[in-house]
Amino acid sequence: MPVGTQGTIKGVLPDHVAATGSQIILANTYHLMLRPGDKVVAELGDLHRFMAWPGPILTDSGGFQVFSLSDINRITDEGVTFKSHVDGSMVDLTPRRSVEVQNDLGADIIMCFDECPRADAPIEYHREAVQRTLRWAGECQQAHRRPNDQSLFGIVQGGTDPALREACARALVEMNFPGYAIGGLAVGEGFEAMCWTLDRVAPMLPEDRPRYLMGVGFPRDIVAAVAAGVDMFDCVMPTRNGRNAYAFTASGPLRLRNSALIRDSGPIEAGCDCYACRSFTRGAVRHFFFAGEMLGPILVSLHNIRFYQRLMADIRRAIGEGRFEQFRQTDPRCLLGPAGESD
Ligand SMILES: [Zn+2]
């Protein structure tokens, strides 16, 4: 899922997002609740109309942003009080309010309000966060006004502790959600710890429901999670890196500001069928970045989304043809991770 934080995939027209093969997009409850407000979006005809995206949309619960971005005033068993980054006002976010906002926004998949501690938080804090996450999951189910047209997913927390993860997963499965997310990974625990945790958590979730790993990641992370049994992903990286002139390619990152590309007549990535690669040379894209033209960030965002969607389509094909393990061991994209580790 490409990420449309403020109700837009930054810089990319919805038609172009659809042309990358994206089937579903994500929008952030936290940002839309603070501005323009969920009631405003509802009055304008719901989030599909607002984003001009008739296909499926998923909204997160706002929890992750509250815990990672905001100036938190107070966390209790009832919810969180924080300071709005838009106008400085104090805002209460509770499980009930998170679901109310998501009911107003009208996405197809909505998420339970959860508590996501930092990876290095003490185990006692992780234990408390799991207790709250479970309590809040029940309150979200109770508050959900549109269960027939919006699927509410539960979120497994518990850091990298297998017993906590198992307790959280079991309790959520008891509550019978139509889908399950794995939260609290890719928050600083490292690649090995993430894989180790995923290999244990994913199999605890029902095979006949979607499993969604939130906020991940590099191609290597996604491939490892698919191997563990995960189905769905969202990440800002294709668009955020694209805006910074960082293009994903099978042979590693290409930095479009590089002076070696000034006269390069090739596409961003040879063999890519995206609009940017079909239409523009590397030399032109490089020029757009140096001239401060909007088209530079737009074209590289578009290419990166298509890069991820081609990877996902190739993974699906490999699984369908029973050769995912071979794909994983031979396709160079499966090794792409953060700078310094694999590129
Ligand atoms: Zn391309």
Side-chain angles (χ1 to χ4, degrees):
M1 291 177 279
V3 175
T5 300
Q6 309 263 16
T8 154
I9 313 290
K10 288 189 198 306
V12 188
L13 294 172
D15 283 356
H16 286 183
V17 174
T20 63
S22 302
Q23 301 165 350
I24 170 170
I25 60 177
L26 179 145
N28 286 117
T29 288
Y30 172 84
H31 292 86
L32 294 170
M33 172 183 83
L34 297 179
R35 180 176 55 196
D38 47 304
K39 302 294 181 203
V40 173
V41 174
E43 278 171 37
L44 292 171
D46 103 347
L47 198 53
H48 295 87
R49 174 84 178 93
F50 193 84
M51 298 182 75
W53 181 265
I57 302 176
L58 180 150
T59 47
D60 63 4
S61 69
F64 182 76
Q65 274 75 24
V66 168
F67 289 104
S68 63
L69 298 180
S70 77
D71 192 356
I72 292 186
N73 185 265
R74 192 161 48 96
I75 305 174
T76 67
D77 286 345
E78 278 64 54
V80 183
T81 307
F82 64 97
K83 195 169 172 183
S84 162
H85 73 277
V86 174
D87 62 7
S89 63
M90 297 309 289
V91 181
D92 283 321
L93 192 55
T94 62
R96 176 166 297 277
R97 176 65 183 137
S98 170
V99 169
E100 180 188 46
V101 171
Q102 296 185 80
N103 285 158
D104 288 341
L105 295 174
D108 306 272
I109 298 175
I110 66 177
M111 304 301 299
C112 283
F113 188 66
D114 62 328
E115 179 166 6
C116 176
R118 292 163 51 99
D120 58 2
I123 184 74
E124 295 75 29
Y125 185 19
H126 278 287
R127 194 169 290 124
E128 263 181 50
V130 164
Q131 287 311 316
R132 278 200 193 104
T133 292
L134 290 174
R135 173 188 172 139
W136 291 352
E139 291 175 18
C140 287
Q141 264 184 335
Q142 290 288 319
H144 189 13
R145 300 191 317 269
R146 302 176 57 183
N148 294 327
D149 56 348
Q150 294 183 296
S151 294
L152 174 69
F153 283 19
I155 305 178
V156 182
Q157 290 288 351
T160 51
D161 185 273
L164 268 185
R165 285 280 180 183
E166 184 173 0
C168 192
R170 275 186 197 286
L172 288 171
V173 171
E174 279 287 296
M175 297 165 76
N176 191 28
F177 287 95
Y180 296 89
I182 302 168
L185 288 178
V187 291
E189 75 282 359
F191 178 65
E192 296 302 326
M194 184 189 80
C195 293
W196 190 88
T197 307
L198 279 175
D199 285 341
R200 278 149 193 82
V201 177
M204 295 173 189
L205 301 171
E207 267 187 37
D208 62 346
R209 312 282 162 91
R211 297 166 176 161
Y212 162 32
L213 178 58
M214 305 183 79
V216 172
F218 279 99
R220 137 197 108 159
D221 305 330
I222 288 178
V223 169
V226 169
V230 175
D231 307 294
M232 297 172 62
F233 303 89
D234 76 281
C235 193
V236 295
M237 236 183 311
T239 44
R240 181 177 290 164
N241 288 13
R243 293 197 297 283
N244 291 316
Y246 174 122
F248 285 91
T249 79
S251 50
L254 178 72
R255 319 264 176 182
L256 266 306
R257 289 176 181 272
N258 194 320
S259 58
L261 305 180
I262 191 164
R263 289 185 171 79
D264 195 321
S265 61
I268 295 172
E269 180 171 26
C272 176
D273 57 359
C274 83
Y275 173 77
C277 290
R278 281 187 284 116
S279 312
F280 291 90
T281 61
R282 290 174 168 184
V285 177
R286 176 182 179 277
H287 161 73
F288 297 151
F289 274 97
F290 279 97
E293 284 293 334
M294 292 155 68
L295 208 51
I298 291 171
L299 291 171
V300 184
S301 297
L302 188 58
H303 165 76
N304 284 347
I305 298 173
R306 178 63 186 146
F307 174 89
Y308 268 76
Q309 297 301 359
R310 282 206 296 148
L311 173 66
M312 298 316 294
D314 290 346
I315 288 173
R316 286 193 290 268
R317 195 171 305 116
I319 292 171
E321 293 169 1
R323 51 176 181 80
F324 175 69
E325 263 317 304
Q326 184 205 349
F327 173 85
R328 195 184 170 190
Q329 281 160 27
T330 55
D331 193 288
R333 292 171 294 179
C334 300
L335 297 173
L336 297 173
E341 289 187 44
S342 65
D343 68 290

Coordinates of all heavy atoms in Angstrom, one line a residue, residues 94-168:
T94 N -9.1 8.2 22.2 CA -9.5 7.0 22.9 C -9.8 5.9 21.8 O -10.0 6.3 20.7 CB -10.7 7.2 23.8 OG1 -11.8 7.6 22.9 CG2 -10.5 8.3 24.8
P95 N -9.9 4.7 22.2 CA -10.3 3.6 21.2 C -11.6 4.0 20.6 O -11.8 3.9 19.3 CB -10.5 2.4 22.1 CG -9.6 2.6 23.3 CD -9.6 4.1 23.5
R96 N -12.6 4.5 21.4 CA -13.9 4.9 20.8 C -13.8 6.0 19.8 O -14.4 5.9 18.7 CB -14.8 5.3 22.0 CG -16.2 5.8 21.6 CD -17.1 5.8 22.8 NE -17.3 4.5 23.4 CZ -18.2 3.7 22.9 NH1 -19.0 4.0 21.9 NH2 -18.4 2.5 23.5
R97 N -13.0 7.0 20.1 CA -12.8 8.2 19.3 C -12.1 7.8 18.0 O -12.4 8.2 16.9 CB -12.1 9.3 20.0 CG -11.7 10.5 19.2 CD -12.9 11.3 18.7 NE -12.5 12.4 17.9 CZ -13.1 12.7 16.7 NH1 -14.2 12.1 16.3 NH2 -12.7 13.7 16.0
S98 N -11.1 6.9 18.1 CA -10.3 6.4 16.9 C -11.2 5.7 15.9 O -11.2 6.0 14.7 CB -9.2 5.5 17.3 OG -8.6 4.9 16.2
V99 N -12.1 4.9 16.5 CA -13.1 4.2 15.6 C -14.1 5.1 15.0 O -14.5 5.0 13.8 CB -13.7 3.0 16.3 CG1 -14.9 2.4 15.5 CG2 -12.7 1.9 16.6
E100 N -14.5 6.1 15.8 CA -15.5 7.1 15.3 C -14.9 7.8 14.2 O -15.6 8.0 13.1 CB -15.9 8.0 16.5 CG -16.9 9.1 16.0 CD -17.1 10.2 17.1 OE1 -16.1 10.7 17.6 OE2 -18.3 10.5 17.3
V101 N -13.7 8.3 14.3 CA -13.0 9.0 13.2 C -12.9 8.1 12.0 O -13.2 8.5 10.9 CB -11.6 9.5 13.7 CG1 -10.8 10.0 12.5 CG2 -11.6 10.5 14.8
Q102 N -12.5 6.9 12.2 CA -12.4 5.9 11.0 C -13.7 5.6 10.4 O -13.8 5.4 9.2 CB -11.6 4.7 11.4 CG -10.2 5.0 11.9 CD -9.4 3.7 12.2 OE1 -8.9 3.1 11.3 NE2 -9.3 3.4 13.4
N103 N -14.8 5.5 11.2 CA -16.1 5.4 10.7 C -16.5 6.6 9.8 O -17.1 6.4 8.7 CB -17.2 5.2 11.8 CG -17.1 3.8 12.4 OD1 -17.6 3.6 13.5 ND2 -16.6 2.8 11.8
D104 N -16.2 7.8 10.3 CA -16.4 9.0 9.5 C -15.7 9.0 8.2 O -16.2 9.4 7.2 CB -16.1 10.2 10.4 CG -17.1 10.5 11.5 OD1 -18.2 9.9 11.4 OD2 -16.7 11.2 12.4
L105 N -14.4 8.7 8.3 CA -13.5 8.7 7.1 C -14.0 7.7 6.0 O -14.0 8.0 4.9 CB -12.1 8.5 7.4 CG -11.4 9.5 8.3 CD1 -10.0 9.1 8.7 CD2 -11.3 10.9 7.7
G106 N -14.4 6.6 6.5 CA -15.1 5.6 5.6 C -14.1 4.7 4.8 O -14.5 4.2 3.7
A107 N -12.9 4.4 5.3 CA -12.0 3.5 4.6 C -12.6 2.1 4.7 O -13.5 1.8 5.5 CB -10.6 3.5 5.2
D108 N -12.1 1.2 3.8 CA -12.6 -0.2 3.8 C -12.1 -1.1 4.8 O -12.7 -2.0 5.3 CB -12.3 -0.8 2.4 CG -12.8 0.1 1.3 OD1 -14.0 0.0 0.9 OD2 -12.0 1.1 0.9
I109 N -10.8 -0.8 5.2 CA -10.2 -1.5 6.3 C -9.8 -0.5 7.3 O -9.2 0.5 7.0 CB -8.9 -2.3 5.9 CG1 -9.3 -3.4 4.8 CG2 -8.2 -3.0 7.1 CD1 -8.2 -4.1 4.2
I110 N -10.1 -0.7 8.6 CA -9.8 0.2 9.7 C -9.1 -0.6 10.8 O -9.2 -1.8 10.8 CB -11.0 1.0 10.2 CG1 -12.0 0.0 10.9 CG2 -11.7 1.7 9.1 CD1 -13.2 0.8 11.5
M111 N -8.3 0.2 11.6 CA -7.5 -0.5 12.5 C -7.9 -0.2 14.0 O -8.3 0.9 14.3 CB -6.0 -0.1 12.3 CG -5.5 -0.3 10.9 SD -5.5 -2.0 10.3 CE -4.5 -2.8 11.5
C112 N -7.6 -1.2 14.9 CA -7.8 -1.0 16.3 C -6.8 0.0 16.8 O -5.7 0.0 16.4 CB -7.7 -2.3 17.1 SG -9.1 -3.4 16.9
F113 N -7.2 0.8 17.8 CA -6.3 1.7 18.5 C -5.4 0.9 19.4 O -5.9 0.1 20.2 CB -7.1 2.7 19.3 CG -6.3 3.8 19.9 CD1 -5.6 4.7 19.1 CD2 -6.2 4.0 21.2 CE1 -4.9 5.8 19.6 CE2 -5.4 5.0 21.8 CZ -4.8 5.9 21.0
D114 N -4.1 1.0 19.2 CA -3.2 0.2 20.0 C -2.1 1.0 20.6 O -1.9 2.2 20.2 CB -2.5 -0.9 19.1 CG -1.7 -0.3 17.9 OD1 -2.1 0.8 17.5 OD2 -0.7 -0.9 17.5
E115 N -1.3 0.5 21.5 CA -0.1 1.2 22.0 C 1.1 0.5 21.5 O 1.3 -0.7 21.6 CB -0.1 1.1 23.6 CG 1.1 1.8 24.1 CD 1.0 2.1 25.6 OE1 0.0 1.7 26.2 OE2 1.9 2.8 26.1
C116 N 1.9 1.3 20.8 CA 3.2 0.8 20.2 C 4.4 1.3 20.9 O 4.8 2.4 20.6 CB 3.2 1.2 18.7 SG 4.7 0.7 17.8
P117 N 5.0 0.6 21.9 CA 6.2 1.1 22.6 C 7.4 1.0 21.7 O 7.4 0.3 20.7 CB 6.3 0.2 23.8 CG 5.2 -0.8 23.7 CD 4.6 -0.7 22.4
R118 N 8.4 1.8 22.0 CA 9.7 1.6 21.3 C 10.3 0.2 21.6 O 10.0 -0.4 22.6 CB 10.7 2.7 21.9 CG 10.4 4.1 21.6 CD 11.2 5.0 22.5 NE 12.6 4.6 22.5 CZ 13.6 5.3 21.8 NH1 13.2 6.3 21.1 NH2 14.8 4.9 21.8
A119 N 11.1 -0.2 20.6 CA 11.6 -1.6 20.7 C 12.5 -1.8 22.0 O 12.4 -2.8 22.6 CB 12.5 -1.8 19.5
D120 N 13.1 -0.7 22.4 CA 14.0 -0.8 23.6 C 13.3 -0.5 24.9 O 14.0 -0.4 25.9 CB 15.3 0.0 23.4 CG 14.9 1.5 23.2 OD1 13.7 1.9 23.3 OD2 15.8 2.3 23.0
A121 N 12.0 -0.4 24.9 CA 11.3 -0.1 26.1 C 11.4 -1.4 27.0 O 11.6 -2.5 26.5 CB 9.8 0.1 25.8
P122 N 11.4 -1.2 28.4 CA 11.5 -2.3 29.3 C 10.4 -3.3 29.1 O 9.3 -2.9 28.7 CB 11.5 -1.7 30.7 CG 11.4 -0.2 30.5 CD 11.3 0.1 29.0
I123 N 10.6 -4.6 29.4 CA 9.6 -5.6 29.2 C 8.3 -5.3 30.0 O 7.2 -5.6 29.5 CB 10.2 -7.0 29.6 CG1 9.2 -8.1 29.3 CG2 10.6 -7.0 31.0 CD1 9.0 -8.5 27.8
E124 N 8.4 -4.7 31.1 CA 7.2 -4.3 31.9 C 6.3 -3.4 31.1 O 5.1 -3.5 31.2 CB 7.6 -3.6 33.2 CG 8.4 -4.5 34.2 CD 9.8 -4.7 33.8 OE1 10.4 -3.8 33.2 OE2 10.4 -5.7 34.1
Y125 N 7.0 -2.5 30.4 CA 6.2 -1.5 29.6 C 5.5 -2.2 28.4 O 4.3 -2.0 28.1 CB 7.1 -0.4 29.1 CG 6.3 0.7 28.4 CD1 4.9 0.9 28.5 CD2 7.0 1.6 27.5 CE1 4.2 1.9 27.8 CE2 6.3 2.6 26.8 CZ 4.9 2.7 27.0 OH 4.2 3.7 26.3
H126 N 6.3 -3.2 27.8 CA 5.7 -3.9 26.7 C 4.5 -4.7 27.2 O 3.4 -4.9 26.6 CB 6.7 -4.9 26.1 CG 7.6 -4.2 25.1 ND1 7.1 -3.9 23.8 CD2 8.9 -3.9 25.1 CE1 8.1 -3.3 23.2 NE2 9.2 -3.3 23.9
R127 N 4.6 -5.3 28.5 CA 3.5 -6.1 29.1 C 2.3 -5.2 29.3 O 1.1 -5.6 28.9 CB 4.0 -6.7 30.4 CG 3.1 -7.8 30.9 CD 3.7 -8.6 32.1 NE 4.8 -9.4 31.6 CZ 6.0 -9.3 32.1 NH1 6.3 -8.5 33.1 NH2 7.0 -10.1 31.7
E128 N 2.5 -4.0 29.8 CA 1.4 -3.1 30.0 C 0.7 -2.7 28.7 O -0.5 -2.6 28.6 CB 1.9 -1.8 30.7 CG 1.8 -1.7 32.2 CD 2.3 -0.3 32.6 OE1 1.9 0.7 32.1 OE2 3.1 -0.3 33.5
A129 N 1.6 -2.5 27.7 CA 1.1 -2.0 26.4 C 0.2 -3.1 25.8 O -0.8 -2.8 25.1 CB 2.3 -1.7 25.5
V130 N 0.6 -4.4 26.0 CA -0.2 -5.5 25.4 C -1.6 -5.5 26.2 O -2.6 -5.7 25.5 CB 0.5 -6.9 25.6 CG1 -0.4 -8.0 25.4 CG2 1.7 -6.9 24.5
Q131 N -1.5 -5.3 27.5 CA -2.8 -5.3 28.2 C -3.7 -4.2 27.7 O -4.9 -4.4 27.5 CB -2.5 -5.1 29.7 CG -1.9 -6.3 30.4 CD -2.7 -7.6 30.1 OE1 -3.9 -7.6 30.1 NE2 -2.0 -8.7 29.8
R132 N -3.2 -3.0 27.5 CA -4.0 -1.9 27.0 C -4.4 -2.2 25.6 O -5.6 -1.9 25.3 CB -3.1 -0.6 27.0 CG -3.1 0.1 28.3 CD -2.7 1.5 28.1 NE -2.4 2.1 29.4 CZ -1.2 2.3 29.8 NH1 -0.1 2.1 29.0 NH2 -0.9 2.8 31.1
T133 N -3.5 -2.7 24.8 CA -3.9 -3.0 23.4 C -5.1 -4.0 23.3 O -6.0 -3.8 22.5 CB -2.7 -3.5 22.6 OG1 -1.7 -2.5 22.5 CG2 -3.0 -4.0 21.2
L134 N -5.1 -5.0 24.2 CA -6.2 -5.9 24.2 C -7.5 -5.3 24.7 O -8.6 -5.5 24.1 CB -5.8 -7.2 25.0 CG -4.7 -8.0 24.4 CD1 -4.3 -9.1 25.4 CD2 -5.2 -8.7 23.1
R135 N -7.4 -4.5 25.8 CA -8.5 -3.9 26.3 C -9.1 -2.9 25.3 O -10.3 -2.9 25.0 CB -8.1 -3.1 27.6 CG -9.1 -2.2 28.1 CD -8.5 -1.3 29.2 NE -9.5 -0.3 29.6 CZ -9.8 0.0 30.9 NH1 -9.1 -0.5 31.9 NH2 -10.7 0.9 31.2
W136 N -8.2 -2.2 24.6 CA -8.7 -1.2 23.6 C -9.3 -1.9 22.4 O -10.2 -1.4 21.7 CB -7.5 -0.3 23.2 CG -7.1 0.6 24.3 CD1 -7.7 0.8 25.5 CD2 -5.9 1.5 24.3 NE1 -7.0 1.8 26.2 CE2 -5.9 2.2 25.5 CE3 -4.9 1.8 23.4 CZ2 -4.9 3.2 25.8 CZ3 -3.9 2.7 23.7 CH2 -3.9 3.4 24.9
A137 N -8.7 -3.1 22.0 CA -9.3 -3.8 20.9 C -10.8 -4.2 21.1 O -11.6 -4.1 20.2 CB -8.5 -5.1 20.6
G138 N -11.1 -4.6 22.4 CA -12.4 -4.9 22.7 C -13.3 -3.6 22.6 O -14.4 -3.7 22.1
E139 N -12.8 -2.5 23.1 CA -13.5 -1.2 23.1 C -13.8 -0.8 21.6 O -14.8 -0.2 21.3 CB -12.8 -0.2 23.9 CG -12.8 -0.5 25.4 CD -12.0 0.5 26.2 OE1 -11.7 1.6 25.7 OE2 -11.7 0.2 27.3
C140 N -12.8 -1.0 20.8 CA -12.9 -0.7 19.3 C -14.0 -1.5 18.7 O -14.8 -1.0 17.9 CB -11.6 -0.9 18.6 SG -10.4 0.4 19.0
Q141 N -14.0 -2.8 19.0 CA -15.1 -3.7 18.4 C -16.5 -3.2 18.8 O -17.4 -3.1 18.0 CB -14.9 -5.1 18.9 CG -14.1 -6.0 18.0 CD -14.0 -7.4 18.5 OE1 -14.1 -7.7 19.7 NE2 -13.8 -8.3 17.5
Q142 N -16.6 -2.8 20.1 CA -17.8 -2.3 20.7 C -18.3 -1.0 20.0 O -19.5 -0.8 19.7 CB -17.7 -2.0 22.2 CG -17.5 -3.3 23.1 CD -18.8 -4.0 23.2 OE1 -19.9 -3.4 23.3 NE2 -18.8 -5.4 23.1
A143 N -17.3 -0.2 19.7 CA -17.6 1.2 19.2 C -17.9 1.2 17.7 O -18.4 2.1 17.2 CB -16.5 2.1 19.5
H144 N -17.5 0.1 17.0 CA -17.6 0.1 15.5 C -19.0 0.1 15.0 O -19.8 -0.8 15.3 CB -16.9 -1.2 15.1 CG -16.6 -1.3 13.6 ND1 -16.7 -0.2 12.7 CD2 -16.3 -2.3 12.8 CE1 -16.5 -0.6 11.5 NE2 -16.2 -1.9 11.5
R145 N -19.3 1.2 14.3 CA -20.7 1.4 13.8 C -21.0 0.8 12.4 O -22.1 0.8 12.0 CB -21.1 2.9 13.8 CG -21.0 3.6 15.1 CD -21.6 5.0 14.9 NE -21.3 5.7 13.7 CZ -20.2 6.5 13.6 NH1 -19.4 6.8 14.6 NH2 -20.0 7.1 12.4
R146 N -19.9 0.5 11.7 CA -20.1 0.1 10.3 C -19.4 -1.3 10.0 O -18.7 -1.4 9.0 CB -19.6 1.1 9.4 CG -20.2 2.5 9.6 CD -19.5 3.6 8.7 NE -19.6 3.2 7.2 CZ -19.0 3.9 6.3 NH1 -18.4 5.1 6.6 NH2 -19.1 3.6 5.0
P147 N -19.7 -2.3 10.9 CA -19.0 -3.6 10.7 C -19.3 -4.3 9.3 O -18.5 -5.1 8.9 CB -19.4 -4.4 11.9 CG -20.7 -3.8 12.3 CD -20.6 -2.4 12.0
N148 N -20.4 -3.9 8.7 CA -20.8 -4.6 7.5 C -20.0 -4.0 6.2 O -19.9 -4.7 5.2 CB -22.3 -4.6 7.2 CG -23.0 -5.4 8.3 OD1 -22.5 -6.4 8.7 ND2 -24.2 -4.9 8.7
D149 N -19.6 -2.8 6.3 CA -18.8 -2.3 5.2 C -17.4 -1.8 5.5 O -16.7 -1.3 4.6 CB -19.6 -1.2 4.4 CG -20.0 0.0 5.3 OD1 -19.9 -0.1 6.5 OD2 -20.5 1.0 4.8
Q150 N -17.0 -1.9 6.8 CA -15.6 -1.6 7.1 C -15.1 -2.8 7.9 O -15.6 -3.1 9.0 CB -15.5 -0.3 7.9 CG -15.9 0.9 7.2 CD -15.7 2.1 8.1 OE1 -16.3 2.3 9.1 NE2 -14.7 3.0 7.7
S151 N -13.9 -3.4 7.5 CA -13.3 -4.5 8.3 C -12.4 -3.9 9.3 O -11.4 -3.2 8.9 CB -12.6 -5.4 7.3 OG -13.5 -6.1 6.4
L152 N -12.6 -4.2 10.6 CA -11.8 -3.8 11.7 C -10.7 -4.8 12.0 O -11.1 -6.0 12.3 CB -12.6 -3.5 12.9 CG -11.9 -3.1 14.2 CD1 -11.2 -1.8 14.1 CD2 -12.8 -3.1 15.4
F153 N -9.5 -4.5 11.8 CA -8.4 -5.5 12.1 C -7.8 -5.3 13.5 O -7.7 -4.1 14.0 CB -7.2 -5.2 11.1 CG -7.4 -5.8 9.7 CD1 -8.7 -6.1 9.2 CD2 -6.3 -6.0 8.9 CE1 -8.8 -6.6 7.9 CE2 -6.5 -6.5 7.6 CZ -7.7 -6.8 7.1
G154 N -7.5 -6.4 14.1 CA -6.8 -6.3 15.4 C -5.3 -6.2 15.2 O -4.8 -6.6 14.1
I155 N -4.5 -5.7 16.2 CA -3.1 -5.5 16.0 C -2.4 -6.2 17.2 O -2.6 -5.9 18.3 CB -2.7 -4.0 16.1 CG1 -3.5 -3.2 15.0 CG2 -1.2 -3.8 15.9 CD1 -3.2 -1.7 15.0
V156 N -1.4 -7.1 16.8 CA -0.6 -7.8 17.8 C 0.6 -6.9 18.1 O 1.4 -6.5 17.3 CB -0.1 -9.1 17.2 CG1 0.7 -9.9 18.2 CG2 -1.3 -10.0 16.6
Q157 N 0.7 -6.7 19.4 CA 1.9 -6.0 20.0 C 2.7 -7.0 20.8 O 2.4 -8.2 20.8 CB 1.5 -4.8 20.8 CG 0.9 -3.7 20.0 CD 2.0 -2.9 19.2 OE1 3.2 -3.2 19.3 NE2 1.6 -2.1 18.2
G158 N 3.7 -6.6 21.6 CA 4.5 -7.5 22.4 C 6.0 -7.4 22.2 O 6.7 -8.3 22.7
G159 N 6.4 -6.4 21.4 CA 7.9 -6.3 21.1 C 8.5 -7.5 20.5 O 7.9 -8.1 19.6
T160 N 9.6 -7.9 21.0 CA 10.3 -9.1 20.5 C 10.2 -10.3 21.5 O 11.0 -11.2 21.4 CB 11.8 -8.8 20.1 OG1 12.4 -8.2 21.2 CG2 11.9 -7.9 18.9
D161 N 9.3 -10.2 22.4 CA 9.1 -11.2 23.4 C 8.1 -12.2 22.9 O 6.9 -11.9 22.8 CB 8.7 -10.6 24.7 CG 8.6 -11.6 25.9 OD1 7.6 -12.3 26.0 OD2 9.6 -11.7 26.6
P162 N 8.5 -13.5 22.7 CA 7.6 -14.5 22.1 C 6.4 -14.8 23.0 O 5.3 -15.0 22.5 CB 8.5 -15.7 21.9 CG 9.7 -15.5 22.7 CD 9.9 -14.0 22.9
A163 N 6.6 -14.8 24.3 CA 5.5 -15.1 25.2 C 4.4 -14.0 25.2 O 3.2 -14.3 25.1 CB 6.0 -15.3 26.6
L164 N 4.9 -12.8 25.2 CA 3.9 -11.6 25.1 C 3.2 -11.6 23.8 O 2.0 -11.4 23.7 CB 4.7 -10.3 25.3 CG 4.9 -9.7 26.6 CD1 5.5 -8.4 26.6 CD2 3.5 -9.6 27.3
R165 N 4.0 -11.8 22.7 CA 3.4 -11.8 21.4 C 2.3 -12.9 21.3 O 1.2 -12.7 20.7 CB 4.4 -12.1 20.3 CG 5.3 -10.9 20.0 CD 4.6 -9.9 19.1 NE 5.4 -8.8 18.8 CZ 5.1 -7.7 18.0 NH1 3.9 -7.7 17.5 NH2 5.8 -6.7 17.8
E166 N 2.6 -14.1 21.8 CA 1.7 -15.2 21.7 C 0.4 -14.9 22.5 O -0.7 -15.1 22.1 CB 2.3 -16.5 22.2 CG 1.4 -17.7 22.1 CD 2.0 -19.0 22.4 OE1 3.2 -19.1 22.7 OE2 1.3 -20.0 22.3
A167 N 0.6 -14.3 23.7 CA -0.6 -14.0 24.6 C -1.5 -13.0 23.8 O -2.7 -13.1 23.8 CB -0.1 -13.4 25.9
C168 N -0.8 -12.0 23.2 CA -1.6 -11.0 22.5 C -2.3 -11.6 21.3 O -3.5 -11.3 21.1 CB -0.6 -9.8 22.1 SG -1.5 -8.4 21.5

